[in-house]
Amino acid sequence: SNNNVLNGLISEYSSKCYTENIEFVVDIRPGTIDDIVATDIVALFGNILSNAYEAAKQCEEINEKYIELVVKRKHETTFIKCVNSCVVQPKIIGGKYISIKKDTGRKHGYGMKSIDKIVNKYHGSHIEQFDENEFTISIMLIKQKIITIDMQLAVLYRCKTVAAIIIMLKTASIPIRHR
């Protein structure tokens, strides 16, 4: 990627995966995460990769240990998909996946909560799926355009009031910020 923060995370997990003999494949297109702030990049990708790494590391009884991370963008939408080997079915509590890490003295589930919080912040959605020996998380983040309304815009649209434009835009489900 062209993002130093994400590159640092990728480098860290590349080394960890090499040590554990986990195949690590990454495809991140340039410009895909330019709209995400650095702290959110660390939290989002750090948790995704940490969960994938911990799951793949436990796959000694199958021949394949792998993590595949793909990040693409189309127009205003960023797509993130991480697929990893996983022999232990993740726990689901309250309809949400939680950690299966062995250090039970610590509270778990915060990684997925953090992912959920960031996905919501960027107006997106995510879905997780466990199939035989494989776990997938798919995330979609949508860059929302904020429209600033002022009297000049009202004239441009030949509306008599700014309120008329606001009503028009609200019916089109476009977020509005007043100036």
Side-chain angles (χ1 to χ4, degrees):
S1 93
N2 58 349
N3 182 286
N4 290 335
V5 173
L6 183 55
N7 289 343
L9 282 169
I10 298 300
S11 178
E12 175 188 349
Y13 280 95
S14 180
S15 293
K16 286 181 172 186
C17 288
Y18 179 79
T19 301
E20 293 291 333
N21 199 28
I22 299 170
E23 181 182 2
F24 187 55
V25 177
V26 178
D27 180 5
I28 301 174
R29 306 296 166 92
T32 55
I33 60 165
D34 290 349
D35 300 323
I36 304 173
V37 296
T39 53
D40 292 339
I41 290 170
V42 171
L44 181 64
F45 288 96
N47 282 303
I48 290 169
L49 290 171
S50 175
N51 292 342
Y53 172 75
E54 291 297 327
K57 198 165 74 166
Q58 295 179 13
C59 294
E60 293 300 328
E61 61 269 10
I62 63 173
N63 291 336
E64 285 189 284
K65 295 194 303 184
Y66 59 90
I67 299 171
E68 297 173 4
L69 176 66
V70 177
V71 184
K72 296 181 179 181
R73 184 176 189 139
K74 183 163 182 157
H75 306 293
E76 303 299 322
T77 305
T78 300
F79 300 95
I80 303 165
K81 185 173 185 177
C82 185
V83 180
N84 59 272
S85 52
C86 182
V87 292
V88 179
Q89 183 169 356
K91 293 180 185 176
I92 301 174
I93 296 179
K96 306 259 184 194
Y97 284 91
I98 63 164
S99 176
I100 57 170
K101 294 176 187 164
K102 292 183 179 183
D103 52 344
T104 55
R106 291 178 36 198
K107 293 183 179 179
H108 293 298
Y110 291 110
M112 288 304 293
K113 286 179 187 173
S114 180
I115 290 170
D116 192 50
K117 181 180 175 185
I118 292 165
V119 168
N120 287 334
K121 178 180 177 180
Y122 291 91
H123 316 287
S125 61
H126 61 97
I127 188 165
E128 298 79 26
Q129 182 177 358
F130 176 76
D131 289 324
E132 187 177 330
N133 297 330
E134 188 170 87
F135 182 82
T136 303
I137 182 168
S138 301
I139 299 172
M140 182 174 64
L141 306 176
I142 302 168
K143 179 182 175 186
Q144 289 199 317
K145 295 182 180 182
I146 305 297
I147 298 176
T148 304
I149 304 295
D150 62 12
M151 290 308 288
Q152 292 173 344
L153 187 58
V155 171
L156 180 65
Y157 281 97
R158 296 184 179 170
C159 294
K160 293 183 180 178
T161 65
V162 172
I165 294 174
I166 293 172
I167 291 168
M168 176 184 74
L169 292 173
K170 280 186 178 179
T171 58
S173 300
I174 299 173
I176 301 167
R177 177 177 35 202
H178 297 281
R179 218 184 341 184

